[in-house]
Amino acid sequence: MENNFDVIIAGCGAAGLYGAINLPSDCRILLLCKQELTLCNSALAQGGIAGVYKSPEDSIELHEHDTMVAGGFTNNPETVHILTTHAAHEIQAILDFGVDFDRTPDGELHRTLEGGHSRHRIFHHKDATGAEILDKLLKKVKTLPNVTILEHAMMTGMQKTDTGFSVNVMQGGSCTVYSSHFMILATGGIGRVYRFTTNSKIATGDGIAFAYENGAEIRNLHLIQFHPTAFNDHHTRECFLISEAVRGEGAYLLNCNKERFMDRYDERLELAPRDVVSHAIILESRRTHSDNFYLDISYKDSEFIKNRFPMIYEKVLEQGYDMTKEPIPIFPCQHYLMGGIQVDDNSETTVPNLYAAGECSHTGVHGNNRLASNSLLEALVFSRQAALDIAKKLPDAPKTFTAAEFPAKPNPQKIPKGLRTEIRQIMQDNYFVIPNKEKLPEGFRRITEIRDQLLNGNYIVDADYVEAKSLATVAYIILKEVL
C-alpha cells in the first residue's frame, strides 16, 4: 500500500468523513479509524442537528443569538456567523446523501425544540440522529476511489516534517509510517479523562495531545460541558445519555423527593441550557443531601414517547425502567468539550497545514457552553472549511514527501497499572461541574508528576501508553488553565 498521501485525516466521525467527502476527487486521502468505523461520539449523538433551513418562522439571526446566549456571549461572533449561515448548505448536502430525518404527517421535515433554542429548529432521526448521519456519510465515503480507510489503526506518533507530516500508525500489532502534505485532526473529545462520561471509549484526547506536542495552541480546554441528564445506574463508566430532546418534549426534572425544583434556580425551568441545569442539580443535591434525581415524561402519551424516543425507551427498559410509566434516574456527567485545538475560520491550527475539526477543535462557536445540537453542525461546517482551504493550497504543495522516524526505546516496559484510573479520579474529584478549589493545586501537582513520568519513562509505545499519555496531557492542560 502507498505510504504517501496528500491528506491524512485522523478520525472517522462526522468531521473526518465530511472532510474527506469535500476534498477534491483527485486528492489522495488516508482516513485513520482508531477502532471500528461506527465507534465515535458522532454515532452517539441523539438529539439532532440545529439549523435554519427552509424555516420561514426562524432566522439565522435568532440561531446566532441563541448560540451566543448559551455561550455566555464569550463566543467568537465570526465563527458563529459561519456556523449559522452555512447550516442550510450542510443540511441540504446530507439530505442529498440520503439522511432520513423525521417528517410530519404532511411530509414536511419535523423540527423539534431543545433547551436554549427559541425556535423549533432541530432536525432529527428519531433519537439516533448521529448514527443516521454517520451511516450515510460512511456509505458516501466508501464510494470514493481516492480515499483509503484504515480500521483499527491507532496513531501512536505524529511529527511535522519539511514537506508536511508523518504519523506512526499501529495496526494489528505492527507499526507503519505514513506521510502527507496536509493533516486534519478529527479525533473527537476527551470524555475518558473522567470516571463517568457519555462519550465512547476511544474519546481520550489523542489528537489534542499530539497537536500540543507539535506546538499547536490549545485554548479553553477547561470549558467542559457536563450533561445534566445522563442515565444514572451508579456503576457504568460509559453513561447512556438521556437526550436534551426529552426535556424539549416536556419532561420534568425531579429531586430525591420526586418534586420539581428548577424554579429555585432558573426561570426557564427544565429548558434552561445544560450548564445551568447541571449546576442546579449539584446545588439541589447539596440542599437535599442526596444524589438521587429523576427525569419524568410519563405523563405524556405512551405511544408518543415510544415513537419519539425508541432508542432511549429500549435502553432504559433494559435497565428496568419504563419511561412511559415512571421517572428514570439521572445525574450529570462529562459530555462535551467546548475548548480544544485553536483554529481559524478555515479550521487551520497555529501549525501551518495542520487542521482540526469537530470536538477536538476550538472554533469559538460554543463560547462557555454549547447550545444543544450545534455540535453535529459544527463538525460538518468546519470540516468543509478545512477541505476547501486545503483544496486551494494543493496545487502549491511539495511534490516530494519526507518521512519522520519514530525510533523504539531499548528494553521498554509496560506502563504501571492504575495510572489512567488515578487520572480519572483526580479529574472527577477536582473539576466536576463546580470545581473544588481547595483540592485543585494538589490534583495538578499529581497530574504533572504522572505526565512527566510517562513522557520521560522507558515505556512500550502501545495503545495503553498512548491513551495514558493523552489523558495525562489533557488533564494537565485543563488544570493548568484553571489554576
Side-chain angles (χ1 to χ4, degrees), residues 61-101:
E61 290 75 21
L62 280 173
H63 189 186
E64 284 185 8
H65 180 72
D66 291 345
T67 300
M68 297 292 288
V69 169
F73 290 94
T74 61
N75 324 55
N76 180 336
E78 293 180 6
T79 52
V80 170
H81 187 67
I82 292 171
L83 180 84
T84 54
T85 55
H86 288 215
H89 179 278
E90 314 310 354
I91 290 169
Q92 183 61 62
I94 59 176
L95 283 168
D96 292 342
F97 294 151
V99 169
D100 181 25
F101 287 132

Side-chain angles (χ1 to χ4, degrees), residues 384-403:
R384 183 167 176 266
Q385 289 290 97
L388 294 176
D389 198 56
I390 291 171
K392 293 177 186 176
K393 296 178 178 179
L394 274 170
D396 298 323
K399 303 304 178 187
T400 59
F401 295 86
T402 303

Side-chain angles (χ1 to χ4, degrees), residues 444-464:
F444 178 64
R445 184 203 64 78
R446 178 57 183 149
I447 288 293
T448 303
E449 188 175 76
I450 293 172
R451 181 169 181 264
D452 288 345
Q453 177 185 348
L454 289 167
L455 289 175
N456 300 321
N458 186 29
Y459 298 118
I460 299 169
V461 180
D462 57 7
D464 290 344

Side-chain angles (χ1 to χ4, degrees), residues 6-60:
D6 295 308
V7 183
I8 294 175
I9 302 176
C12 288
L17 295 173
Y18 201 62
I21 290 168
N22 281 280
L23 283 164
S25 59
D26 60 348
C27 172
R28 294 167 299 156
I29 304 165
L30 177 63
L31 200 54
L32 300 175
C33 178
K34 191 173 177 181
Q35 291 195 18
E36 60 268 26
L37 282 170
T38 54
L39 183 63
C40 61
N41 282 357
S42 297
L44 300 176
Q46 296 175 4
I49 181 169
V52 179
Y53 171 77
K54 299 182 179 179
S55 311
E57 76 291 346
D58 200 359
S59 71
I60 288 170

